[in-house]
Amino acid sequence: MRALTVAPGIANSARLDDVLEPPTSDGAVLVKTLALGVCGTDREIVSGAYGWAPPGEERLVIGHESLGRVREAPAGCGVAAGDLVVGIVRRPDPVPCPSCAVGEWDMCRNGRYTERGIKERNGYGSDFFRIEPDFLVKLDPALGINGVLVEPTSVVAKAWDHTERIGGRARAWQPNTLLVTGAGPIGLLAALLGAQRGLDVHVLDHNDRGPKRKIVRELGATFHLGEIPDLGSFKPDILMECTGAAPVVRDAIGRTASAGIVCLLGVSAPGRALTLDIGDVNRTIVLGNDTVFGSVNANREHYEDAVAALQRADQSWLDSLITRHVGVERWTHSLVQQPGDIKVIVDFS
Ligand SMILES: [Zn+2]
């Protein structure tokens, strides 16, 4: 079968390979891949900066934003042939740590977790994949191709879960405003979940190429072009930072209203030193009871929250997030970002 592979640690080693059918050791359920979302993590792996092949192998099948249809499944396992499904990315570490032991592998404490398509396990970027039933999430068939957005939405669903748990430290906490920095897929999905919570949603980006301004407006949210200081006196109750760009992160910290929450979702590249008045930041955060926290990955509950959120959403709005389909034979073209791209998918259908 065809598989999208890379040699982790080696830049530009991405290619289309012919590989053996997936081993039964990957799980009892056989899934036919329909589509695969491509994200910044995939680009980082292809650049050679991230990713690990399975033990004893040189190449990794890439792909963690899956969408497929069950081909074969054991009776009574929770899914059946024909079901539309998404695979969960992370697997608990083998120790396991206290978090992995209770199914919160997204909060793994020892870092020995593995991840499909990223860390020591082959991913979902092949014509077929096998998977354990416990790591499959079943979708409403009405979601169709938009099911490929479940994995990135699960990351956002976790961010919202933790934001609301932090907010719950004050009994009367009731947020009204949300600022999202970065109108990429994660930012727009964070904005969707904010709009579904009835918040006044604002999305900031440093450019308005492509359809992002229109997409934000169609959500009933406000699009801002520029940088955080351009927002003047506006101080949101919740700020979700989705760019990972160092200057934006600097401007985000301490920028909320009192008892505000800044959730950092973007992964920065280290090496860029910026000036920050730590005394002023500390004063703002302490006197405002503010919180700044990071969030990554998702556990099963977050995937289920993600499915529910996507099923509630306007499907044509979700369609507009998928701006480019690339065929399997040309899959490496999906790695090169084009102006106006939001979510690019590799189409296996
Ligand atoms: Zn763990």
Side-chain angles (χ1 to χ4, degrees), residues 90-101 104-113:
R90 194 174 283 192
R91 296 294 177 277
D93 79 75
V95 175
C97 75
S99 288
C100 287
E104 291 188 346
W105 50 74
D106 57 313
M107 299 298 289
C108 182
R109 301 295 305 280
N110 63 24
R112 292 178 62 190
Y113 59 83

Side-chain angles (χ1 to χ4, degrees), residues 170-195:
R171 279 178 293 163
W173 184 72
Q174 193 151 27
N176 294 310
T177 49
L178 165 70
L179 172 63
V180 174
T181 50
I186 293 287
L188 292 170
L189 291 166
L192 169 68
L193 270 64

Side-chain angles (χ1 to χ4, degrees), residues 8 23 52 79 130 154 165 178 200 202 206 221 237 256 308 329 348:
W52 297 263
V79 295
R130 280 191 172 272
S154 74
R165 286 203 249 169
L178 165 70
D200 174 18
H202 297 256
H206 69 292
D237 296 316
T256 47
E329 305 295 327
F348 279 79

